[in-house]
Amino acid sequence: MEATIQNSLLPVRIRRIDPAILPTTADAQGLGIAMSGQRYVLKASIGWHKLMPASEWICHGLARCLELAIPHWEHCIMPDGRDAIGSRLEGDVLEREFIPTSRASADNPEVVSGTFVLDLFIGNGDRHKGQWLLTEAGGGKLLRPIDFSRAWFFRWPLPTPSFGPGSNLQSSHDKSHGYYVMAKRHGVVLTQEAIDTWECLRMLSKNAWRGIIYSVPEGWMSPQEVVDLVNWWWSPQWHTHLMDQDSAMNSDTFFFSLVRYQPDLHRQEVVNVGVVLFTPNGSHVSFASNQGKLLALDPNFRLNRLFDQAHNLNEALKGLHEARVPIEEQIRMFSVGGGLSLSPAGMIDAQGQACEALLDELLRDLVSAPTKKRLRDPRVSRLHSELRQVFRQAKILGSSPGDIEKHLVVPNFPIDADVGLFAEFALRNGRLHITETVDFRLSTPSSKRQEAQAKTLLLVQALERMGSNDLKRYVVVTGASAQVQASMNLLERHADDFIVRESAQDWHRYVEAMHRAAYPGESALQ
């Protein structure tokens, strides 16, 4: 669109400045009262943002080119002689904030979608509920975006994305992301409206841009900054920024809803059977391939009945999308009743994935029956299995804790069950003989260090509970190396007998000790 930025030929002289009436416009100097009696919200250069007036001027110019109902602005001279940009208060101010939980009750509800696009382009991460005015004049109500002081030069060169995940804003300073997520969820920002504004911005001519920059009052930017900004439009940097922000706009959060089946309204039993993914191109409905769990709720369930209802749901959602009905309203229309219904909305970050991949993820995690997981004892290693086999061949391996009284070796014997301490192997014959193993051939030194520390805790706890006269502690290790020497030293310090599996002498001593404990007076295990 071609636009000429026309403001007063002469600056507006401000006679008095009252405290700001808009508390959420933190950067304003106050409310300026001109010689004519007109009221202006004033912003001037300040220490941390000397180009604030120029930033506001440029952003106002872009907003006007995009047909957004921003307040009229002027070059103002404050009583102390300093320059300021003044946003004129027009008509009656009905509201000084806008919470985007429903479409604005104004003549221009599409302004929120357009401002979303503008904020993306100018790097404004400071959009929140207090940066709007709902005004009334001449019988018409307009919602007006205000305050662009934390955009443009404040974040130059313009970042990508301007806000949300991946931006260079700290989460506490990123107000725009949460605001626009809420607006999209409640159908306040509509995809087609945003696309229309984006196309208008993309087609803005170099002449229109030059007009915006040249209209900035003299002295607010250096001559070089003026030249650089004019040349930036349609430059490779401009194209890159536009394309990056286009990607940021189009790779936004998707909303989804679970499809639930309730065979009997009276019984209130519900099961998840599918998912609806809402995208800018329409809704996508997918159902789990295995609906066997429905039989648990409805023995008379017939699959063709589900297919018929699913088809009707899909067609209804398609029509609602074409009618631009907000997502929240679409879900509300199918939130109650027997048969198929929709859950409250959830959100998912697409991260570049196709709709089919997102649907598969949601079906797997939220709809399909979970697969049974086979749990393995994390302590079982080859060394542990080797000891178990030795005890089994010697016919001294027990199967339950009670076998400890039969002089059998009991795996996983409780030392202090209340705190989860169990010995790998235990055998009682007057004294309790416990064995702990560490196979250093597995995992990393750091994980084995943690395992060694856990085994040491058990050895110490066993000694405290039983005393040295009633306990003998064995530690069997394999895979020794310099990297794990510290862990081995720790174990050896708390063991009554420390056995290195690779040592034939150590191994024979341990096997013989266990055999004698089980069968006093008999020869050692072979």
Side-chain angles (χ1 to χ4, degrees):
M1 171 188 174
E2 298 294 335
T4 301
I5 307 300
Q6 293 180 339
N7 296 80
S8 300
L9 297 176
L10 298 175
V12 174
R13 291 178 57 201
I14 302 297
R15 182 174 61 85
R16 189 181 82 205
I17 300 178
D18 294 342
I21 64 170
L22 303 175
T24 51
T25 307
D27 304 322
Q29 298 288 318
L31 180 65
I33 302 176
M35 294 295 185
S36 64
Q38 292 277 7
R39 266 65 171 170
Y40 295 87
V41 177
L42 301 173
K43 291 188 179 179
S45 176
I46 54 180
W48 56 268
H49 192 359
K50 295 187 179 299
L51 291 173
M52 182 190 297
S55 285
E56 285 275 0
W57 194 283
I58 292 168
C59 294
H60 275 69
L62 283 170
R64 176 177 291 180
C65 290
L66 298 178
E67 305 288 356
L68 303 181
I70 53 166
H72 183 78
W73 73 101
E74 292 282 3
H75 174 197
C76 297
I77 304 295
M78 298 191 296
D80 61 2
R82 288 186 297 150
D83 288 332
I85 181 173
S87 295
R88 191 168 68 197
L89 293 179
E90 300 170 340
D92 295 328
V93 178
L94 305 179
E95 298 287 346
R96 296 177 181 174
E97 65 178 28
F98 176 65
I99 301 173
T101 53
S102 62
R103 295 278 279 181
S105 298
D107 296 334
N108 62 333
E110 71 283 351
V111 70
V112 185
S113 301
T115 305
F116 163 63
V117 171
L118 177 63
D119 283 341
L120 265 179
F121 184 75
I122 65 178
N124 185 18
D126 195 42
R127 181 66 56 195
H128 54 82
K129 67 178 183 179
Q131 294 191 334
W132 302 87
L133 294 178
L134 181 63
T135 65
E136 183 176 25
K141 292 182 181 179
L142 291 176
L143 183 64
R144 301 177 182 274
I146 60 173
D147 197 351
F148 301 98
S149 59
R150 310 270 174 131
W152 204 259
F153 282 127
F154 183 73
R155 300 182 70 193
W156 188 267
L158 298 177
T160 301
S162 294
F163 43 80
S167 76
N168 59 5
L169 282 174
Q170 296 180 9
S171 58
S172 59
H173 295 161
D174 186 353
K175 300 175 183 177
S176 295
H177 176 63
Y179 185 85
Y180 285 123
V181 165
M182 180 186 295
K184 291 177 183 179
R185 175 167 185 164
H186 292 283
V188 178
V189 168
L190 298 182
T191 300
Q192 191 56 54
E193 291 176 353
I195 291 174
D196 291 344
T197 304
W198 194 258
E199 185 65 15
C200 182
L201 178 63
R202 189 179 68 84
M203 296 299 293
L204 190 66
S205 71
K206 183 71 171 277
N207 284 335
W209 172 248
R210 185 182 291 108
I212 294 173
I213 301 304
Y214 285 172
S215 71
V216 177
E218 186 177 356
W220 286 18
M221 295 186 295
S222 70
Q224 188 60 52
E225 286 169 334
V226 171
V227 172
D228 289 344
L229 278 181
V230 170
N231 291 336
W232 178 77
W233 200 265
W234 283 5
S235 69
Q237 293 79 12
W238 175 86
H239 281 285
T240 299
H241 179 69
L242 194 73
M243 292 177 63
D244 288 346
Q245 296 298 355
D246 182 57
S247 298
M249 185 180 70
N250 290 316
S251 61
D252 220 337
T253 304
F254 289 158
F255 294 99
F256 69 88
S257 178
L258 298 178
V259 182
R260 295 170 170 174
Y261 182 71
Q262 185 176 20
D264 190 330
L265 190 61
H266 177 71
R267 293 174 64 91
Q268 295 291 306
E269 295 173 324
V270 180
V271 62
N272 296 336
V273 296
V275 65
V276 179
L277 183 67
F278 297 93
T279 74
N281 297 321
S283 57
H284 301 260
V285 183
S286 185
F287 287 81
S289 57
N290 184 2
Q291 298 292 353
K293 60 182 179 179
L294 285 172
L295 294 174
L297 296 185
D298 185 5
N300 300 314
F301 168 75
R302 294 292 181 271
L303 194 59
N304 60 346
R305 179 185 175 190
L306 178 65
F307 286 160
D308 290 342
Q309 294 189 30
H311 175 75
N312 293 337
L313 174 65
N314 195 28
E315 290 299 311
L317 291 174
K318 183 185 299 184
L320 292 173
H321 172 75
E322 293 174 353
R324 296 191 178 185
V325 176
I327 293 173
E328 197 82 1
E329 181 65 16
Q330 295 182 43
I331 293 173
R332 189 193 65 78
M333 294 173 65
F334 292 94
S335 62
V336 295
L340 295 183
S341 63
L342 298 182
S343 74
M347 289 184 290
I348 185 170
D349 187 349
Q351 295 183 332
Q353 298 185 78
C355 290
E356 291 75 12
L358 298 177
L359 289 168
D360 288 344
E361 176 185 340
L362 294 171
L363 288 172
R364 181 184 68 247
D365 294 346
L366 301 175
V367 178
S368 300
T371 57
K372 184 177 180 179
K373 297 180 179 179
R374 299 184 61 184
L375 301 179
R376 298 179 61 187
D377 186 347
R379 297 188 304 173
V380 172
S381 63
R382 284 183 290 168
L383 179 59
H384 176 99
S385 300
E386 184 179 3
L387 262 65
R388 181 186 286 267
Q389 183 64 22
V390 168
F391 299 144
R392 181 180 292 111
Q393 289 178 350
K395 298 182 180 180
I396 61 171
L397 182 65
S399 58
S400 66
D403 289 339
I404 197 78
E405 305 302 333
K406 301 176 183 178
H407 310 306
L408 296 178
V409 176
V410 175
N412 205 31
F413 184 78
I415 299 298
D416 191 342
D418 290 339
V419 295
L421 293 178
F422 295 82
E424 282 190 66
F425 299 103
L427 185 153
R428 189 194 302 279
N429 188 352
R431 302 171 75 184
L432 183 67
H433 301 257
I434 64 173
T435 300
E436 292 296 312
T437 70
V438 179
D439 192 336
F440 287 107
R441 297 170 297 185
L442 305 174
S443 302
T444 62
S446 61
S447 64
K448 285 301 169 182
R449 181 172 61 253
Q450 295 175 358
E451 182 181 351
Q453 292 169 349
K455 299 294 178 73
T456 299
L457 174 63
L458 182 141
L459 297 173
V460 171
Q461 187 73 7
L463 182 62
E464 290 180 354
R465 292 178 66 88
M466 300 177 186
S468 58
N469 293 331
D470 296 322
L471 177 71
K472 186 163 185 179
R473 300 166 298 171
Y474 300 86
V475 173
V476 183
V477 301
T478 188
S481 68
Q483 289 181 303
V484 297
Q485 188 60 50
S487 297
M488 293 179 59
N489 293 341
L490 178 66
L491 291 165
E492 187 173 10
R493 187 179 305 163
H494 294 279
D496 298 308
D497 196 355
F498 187 77
I499 297 96
V500 177
R501 177 63 184 90
E502 287 80 3
S503 168
Q505 182 180 356
D506 285 1
W507 181 248
H508 183 268
R509 184 178 71 251
Y510 171 72
V511 171
E512 186 174 15
M514 296 302 294
H515 190 275
R516 280 202 302 261
Y519 300 112
E522 293 191 11
S523 60
L525 292 165
Q526 303 298 318

